[in-house]
Amino acid sequence: MDPGPVCGTGVRYEYRYTTGRHPDEARFYMTLQEVQKLLEAQVLCGNDECLKRSVRVCFACDLISEMLLYLKPHSLLITSLTNAHVIHAAQVMDAKAILFVGGRRPDESVIRGGEANKIPLFTTTLLTFDCCGRLYEKGVRGDKQEPG
């Protein structure tokens, strides 16, 4: 199996291949460090060990109620909300990390909440659409399962 797509610069990324429950659900997954580079993100909290975590599913949303309904465990949460409720939703739903888009940066109390709950936090100047598009292009998908 091909290890992954070739980007425009000719650099080959190493993506690990995993299969879902059905052959049509084959997906690639990336480490958070690879996600950080791909999305030009700054790490707000999370150590090197946290950045080795892998994700194969992402979920983009700005409504806490929908996060609690649709966010699946081990997902990357992409949002423009920067309040403490996002940390709580990610903790309850066992998210791998949170990416704040559009250059938004949460205040220090939210960052401390991410540290306390061992949830890596990132910020990027890219918009939600661009982040999701880049991840999709590299094989990271949304989860098509039913709510919660």
Side-chain angles (χ1 to χ4, degrees):
M1 166 122 308
D2 189 328
V6 177
C7 71
T9 61
V11 177
R12 184 169 294 279
Y13 288 96
E14 295 294 324
Y15 294 101
R16 290 144 306 275
Y17 181 74
T18 183
T19 55
R21 290 174 291 252
H22 186 273
D24 292 339
E25 294 181 8
R27 300 177 184 193
F28 291 95
Y29 63 94
M30 303 174 71
T31 65
L32 290 175
Q33 188 171 31
E34 291 169 327
V35 169
Q36 175 200 2
K37 289 177 185 174
L38 178 69
L39 302 180
E40 304 165 21
Q42 175 189 2
V43 178
L44 300 176
C45 74
N47 58 25
D48 289 340
E49 192 62 35
C50 289
L51 297 181
K52 292 179 184 175
R53 295 178 185 172
S54 61
V55 294
R56 67 177 180 88
V57 176
C58 72
F59 180 73
C61 183
D62 287 340
L63 296 172
I64 299 294
S65 58
E66 287 190 9
M67 287 177 196
L68 293 171
L69 186 61
Y70 294 108
L71 182 63
K72 299 298 180 190
H74 313 296
S75 297
L76 169 64
L77 174 59
I78 300 173
T79 188
S80 62
L81 294 179
T82 58
N83 59 42
H85 299 296
V86 174
I87 302 294
H88 298 300
Q91 179 189 19
V92 167
M93 303 312 292
D94 196 25
K96 290 277 186 165
I98 302 171
L99 174 71
F100 300 103
V101 296
R104 289 177 177 80
R105 182 184 176 93
D107 63 32
E108 288 302 315
S109 65
V110 174
I111 295 172
R112 283 193 305 273
E115 290 172 346
N117 291 294
K118 295 182 173 58
I119 301 172
L121 304 178
F122 301 92
T123 185
T124 182
T125 57
L126 298 175
L127 298 177
T128 303
F129 182 85
D130 297 316
C131 292
C132 292
R134 288 183 184 193
L135 289 167
Y136 186 88
E137 184 178 64
K138 299 300 181 189
V140 176
R141 301 289 189 258
D143 196 331
K144 297 178 185 173
Q145 294 181 8
E146 294 299 313

